[in-house]
C-alpha cells in the first residue's frame, strides 16, 4: 500500500509534464508507467512545440536543453503545383514562433529531472484498475515486478494515452466520445541527413501529401501520405526518397538523401471524449483526445491540459477551492475543439482523399490558392499553428 496526493497513470508528455508542474508547487505525485524507460525514451513522435508549450516547459525548469538545442522557426512553407509559398507565421502573430524539438527529447528531459530529484516514477508498472473515483480517496492498483500494489491518492490523472485504462474506468453512461477516421495514414521516417530546408515543408501533390521536418541540423524527419492498409515492407528506402522528391518538387530544389534509421506507419483519427472528469479521476492528453498529426497539436494539447490541471490542483491544495477542478473539462475542451478543427482543416487542405469527388477536389484547389495568397487566411493559419493563448469562455 502506498499513498500520495496525485496518482498519475502514464509517463508520456502529459503525465511527466504534470508531475513536474506539481513538483514545482510542492504537491506530491507518483507516476506509474506500463512500459520500460528505454521504450518510452525511444518512441519517435512529432516535434513541434507551440510558443506556450515552450514557455511552460522552461518555466517548470525542464527547458534547459530545449533552449540550447531546439530550433526556433518563424514560418512554414506550403507547396502545391510544384510551387513554394512561405507563410511568415511570426509576422502574422506579433512575433510568436514554434520550436522544433522532438517529443522524445521532451520525455527524456522530464524523466531525467524526475529521476535526479529522486521523485517516484515507476517504469514497467502497469495500472490494472482505478477504483473509488467517486469517493475522496481513489485507488490505482498496479503491477510491478510481479507484485500488486495499491496506490491511494486524493486524485487520479489518466494520462495513459488512447489505449489506457483511465478513460475506460469512467462508467459508460458518464462519458461520450466523438470520432472521425481518415482514409489515409502517414509513413514517417527519421534519416541521418541534414534537412534540405530551413523551415518545414507541407506539400500537396496528386500522389498525396508529403512533408519535410527535422530534428537537428544533422537529422531529418519526413512523412508521406499512404493508404492505412499499407505496410512499411512495401517501402524500400529508394522508393521513399524518390516519392518524397517527386511530391515536394519545386524548380531548383534538391532533396538530400541519407540512411533511414526509423520507419513506421501511423493511422490518422480525430477523437474527443467528454467530459474529462469523473469524480476525482481526470483525463489528460491522448487519453482524452486525438488529433491527426498535420499541424502537430498532440503534444501541445497534452501540455495545455496538464497546465490547467496543475493550476486547478494547486488551487485546491492552497485554498480548498474546487473551482478549477470543476471548470477543467469545459476549459480544456474549448482548446481541444479548436485544435481539432485546425488539424482537420490542415489535413483536408493538404491530403489527397481517395473518396473525394470533382467538387471536393475543386474546393481543395481553391482553398490552397486562397491560403497562399490571402493575408487573412495566412493570419488564421499562423495563429492556430503557433498556438492560441488562453481561450476564454464564449470565444470558441
Ligand atoms: N498503466 C500505466 N501506464 C500506461 C497504461 C497503464 N494501464 N496504459 C498506457 N500507459 C502509458 C503508455 O505506455 C504511455 O507511455 O501511458 C503513456 C501515455 O503516453 P502518450 O501515449 O505519449 O500520451 P500523452 O502523454 O497523452 O501524450 C500525448 O503523445 O501520442 C502522442 O501525438 C501524441 O503528442 C501527443 C502526445
Ligand atoms: C514532426 O516534426 O514530426 C512534425 C512536424 C510537423 C507536423 C507533424 C510532425 O505537422
Amino acid at each position: 500500500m502506498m499513498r500520495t496526493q496525485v496518482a498519475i497513470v502514464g509517463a508520456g508528455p502529459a503525465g511527466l509534464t504534470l508531475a513536474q508542474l506539481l513538483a514545482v508547487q510542492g504537491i506530491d505525485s507518483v507516476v506509474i508507467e506500463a512500459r520500460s524507460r528505454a521504450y518510452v525514451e525511444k518512441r519517435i513522435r512529432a516535434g513541434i512545440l507551440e510558443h506556450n508549450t515552450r514557455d511552460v516547459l522552461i518555466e517548470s525548469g525542464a527547458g534547459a536543453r530545449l533552449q540550447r538545442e531546439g530550433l526556433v522557426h518563424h514560418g512554414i512553407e506550403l507547396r502545391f503545383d510544384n510551387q513554394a509559398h512561405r507563410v511568415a507565421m511570426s509576422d502574422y502573430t506579433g512575433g510568436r514562433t514554434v520550436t522544433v524539438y522532438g517529443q522524445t527529447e521532451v520525455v527524456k528531459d522530464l524523466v531525467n529531472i524526475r529521476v535526479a530529484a529522486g521523485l517516484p516514477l515507476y517504469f514497467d508498472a502497469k495500472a490494472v484498475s482505478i477504483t473509488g473515483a467517486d469517493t475522496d480517496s481513489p485507488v490505482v492498483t498496479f503491477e510491478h515486478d510481479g507484485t500488486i500494489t495499491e496506490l491511494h491518492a486524493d486524485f487520479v490523472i489518466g494520462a495513459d494515452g488512447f489505449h489506457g485504462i483511465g478513460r475506460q474506468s469512467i462508467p459508460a453512461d458518464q462519458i461520450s466520445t466523438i470520432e472521425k477516421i481518415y482514409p489515409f495514414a502517414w509513413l514517417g521516417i527519421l534519416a541521418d541527413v541534414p534537412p534540405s530546408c530551413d523551415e518545414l515543408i507541407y506539400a500537396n501533390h496528386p500522389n498525396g501529401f508529403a512533408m519535410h521536418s527535422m530534428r537537428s541540423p544533422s537529422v531529418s524527419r519526413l512523412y508521406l501520405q499512404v493508404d492505412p492498409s499499407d505496410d512499411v515492407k512495401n517501402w524500400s528506402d529508394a522508393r521513399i526518397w524518390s516519392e518524397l522528391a517527386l511530391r515536394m518538387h519545386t524548380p531548383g530544389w534538391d532533396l538530400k538523401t541519407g540512411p533511414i534509421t526509423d520507419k513506421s506507419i501511423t493511422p490518422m483519427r480525430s477523437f474527443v471524449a467528454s467530459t474529462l472528469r469523473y469524480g476525482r479521476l481526470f483525463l489528460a492528453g491522448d487519453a482524452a483526445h486525438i488529433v491527426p498529426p498535420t499541424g502537430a497539436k498532440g503534444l501541445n494539447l497534452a501540455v495545455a491540459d496538464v497546465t490547467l490541471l496543475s493550476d486547478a490542483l494547486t488551487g485546491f491544495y492552497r485554498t480548498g477551492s474546487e473551482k478549477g477542478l470543476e471548470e477543467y473539462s469545459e476549459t480544456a475542451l474549448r482548446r481541444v475543439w479548436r485544435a481539432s478543427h485546425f488539424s482537420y482543416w490542415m489535413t483536408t487542405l493538404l491530403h489527397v482523399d481517395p473518396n473525394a469527388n470533382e467538387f471536393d477536389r475543386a474546393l481543395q484547389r481553391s482553398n490552397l490558392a486562397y491560403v497562399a495568397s490571402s493575408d487573412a487566411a495566412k493570419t488564421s493559419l499562423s495563429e492556430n499553428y503557433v498556438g492560441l493563448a488562453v481561450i476564454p469562455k464564449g470565444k470558441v
Side-chain angles (χ1 to χ4, degrees), residues 46 48 50 98 186 202 209 211 291-298 300 342-343 346-347 350 384-386:
I48 295 286
E50 288 178 3
V98 295
W186 275 16
Y202 290 83
F209 170 78
M211 94 164 274
V291 287
T294 332
K297 289 293 168 214
N300 296 292
F342 176 66
S343 309
M346 279 279 275
T347 300
L350 292 159
N384 281 281
Y385 197 95
V386 303

Side-chain angles (χ1 to χ4, degrees), residues 8-24 29-33 36-37 40-41 43 56-57 60 62 103-115 119-123 157-160 284-285 299 302-303 306-307 310:
I8 300 174
V9 185
L16 290 167
T17 305
L18 179 60
Q20 175 70 7
L21 292 170
L22 293 177
V24 168
S29 66
V30 173
V31 183
I32 304 297
E33 167 57 51
S36 69
R37 179 172 178 179
V40 167
E41 292 189 344
R43 208 162 31 188
V56 167
L57 291 170
S60 77
Q103 180 172 315
T104 315
E105 308 309 314
V106 173
V107 165
K108 277 194 232 163
D109 293 346
L110 289 163
V111 169
N112 278 337
I113 290 174
R114 193 153 178 95
V115 169
L119 295 172
L121 164 55
Y122 294 89
F123 289 103
I157 312 300
D160 50 354
L299 163 77
V303 170
V306 299
T307 305
S310 168

Side-chain angles (χ1 to χ4, degrees), residues 18-301:
L18 179 60
Q20 175 70 7
L21 292 170
L22 293 177
V24 168
Q25 298 299 331
I27 298 169
D28 292 336
S29 66
V30 173
V31 183
I32 304 297
E33 167 57 51
R35 302 286 193 160
S36 69
R37 179 172 178 179
Y39 181 92
V40 167
E41 292 189 344
K42 271 213 194 78
R43 208 162 31 188
I44 312 283
R45 296 262 178 85
I48 295 286
L49 308 185
E50 288 178 3
H51 205 101
N52 278 352
T53 304
R54 175 191 171 96
D55 288 350
V56 167
L57 291 170
I58 293 171
E59 280 162 26
S60 77
R65 194 160 69 97
L66 150 67
Q67 281 173 289
R68 278 199 313 275
E69 297 177 16
L71 308 168
V72 176
H73 282 206
H74 299 268
I76 58 169
E77 201 173 288
L78 299 178
R79 291 189 179 185
F80 56 96
D81 292 342
N82 300 331
Q83 295 294 323
H85 307 265
R86 179 168 192 257
V87 180
M89 291 181 314
S90 295
D91 292 354
Y92 293 107
T93 56
R96 290 166 78 80
T97 58
V98 295
T99 301
V100 180
Y101 189 69
Q103 180 172 315
T104 315
E105 308 309 314
V106 173
V107 165
K108 277 194 232 163
D109 293 346
L110 289 163
V111 169
N112 278 337
I113 290 174
R114 193 153 178 95
V115 169
L119 295 172
L121 164 55
Y122 294 89
F123 289 103
D124 302 301
K126 186 175 175 159
V128 290
S129 73
I130 299 169
T131 52
D134 50 351
T135 72
D136 282 352
S137 53
V139 180
V140 178
T141 305
F142 68 95
E143 215 177 317
H144 180 56
D145 280 345
T147 311
I148 301 276
T149 305
E150 279 190 3
L151 170 60
H152 293 245
D154 298 335
F155 298 96
V156 176
I157 312 300
D160 50 354
F162 185 65
H163 301 287
I165 192 180
R167 197 177 64 252
Q168 290 160 24
S169 303
I170 298 181
D173 61 350
Q174 300 293 315
I175 189 164
S176 66
T177 59
I178 300 177
E179 185 170 45
K180 176 180 171 63
I181 307 281
Y182 298 84
F184 27 76
W186 275 16
L187 166 67
I189 63 156
L190 205 57
D192 283 336
V193 60
S196 303
C197 49
D198 296 327
E199 295 180 333
L200 271 55
I201 299 170
Y202 290 83
N204 169 265
H205 182 275
N207 282 12
F209 170 78
M211 94 164 274
H212 194 323
S213 181
M214 58 195 75
R215 286 292 173 272
S216 74
S218 56
V219 176
S220 296
R221 175 83 171 142
L222 299 107
Y223 298 97
L224 281 172
Q225 175 186 345
V226 298
D227 190 89
S229 65
D230 211 335
D231 191 318
V232 280
K233 289 197 200 84
N234 300 327
W235 289 88
S236 67
D237 293 9
R239 182 180 175 206
I240 292 174
W241 286 120
S242 79
E243 193 63 24
L244 284 165
L246 175 74
R247 294 189 194 180
M248 289 192 283
H249 172 78
T250 54
W253 181 79
D254 276 324
L255 177 64
K256 291 192 275 275
T257 65
I260 294 177
T261 56
D262 189 87
K263 232 185 248 188
S264 65
I265 292 183
T266 318
M268 290 166 77
R269 62 151 63 85
S270 292
F271 174 91
V272 182
S274 61
T275 72
L276 308 185
R277 174 189 190 176
Y278 174 62
R280 289 199 164 211
L281 168 62
F282 293 82
L283 303 181
D286 276 16
H289 40 75
I290 300 283
V291 287
T294 332
K297 289 293 168 214
L299 163 77
N300 296 292
L301 282 178

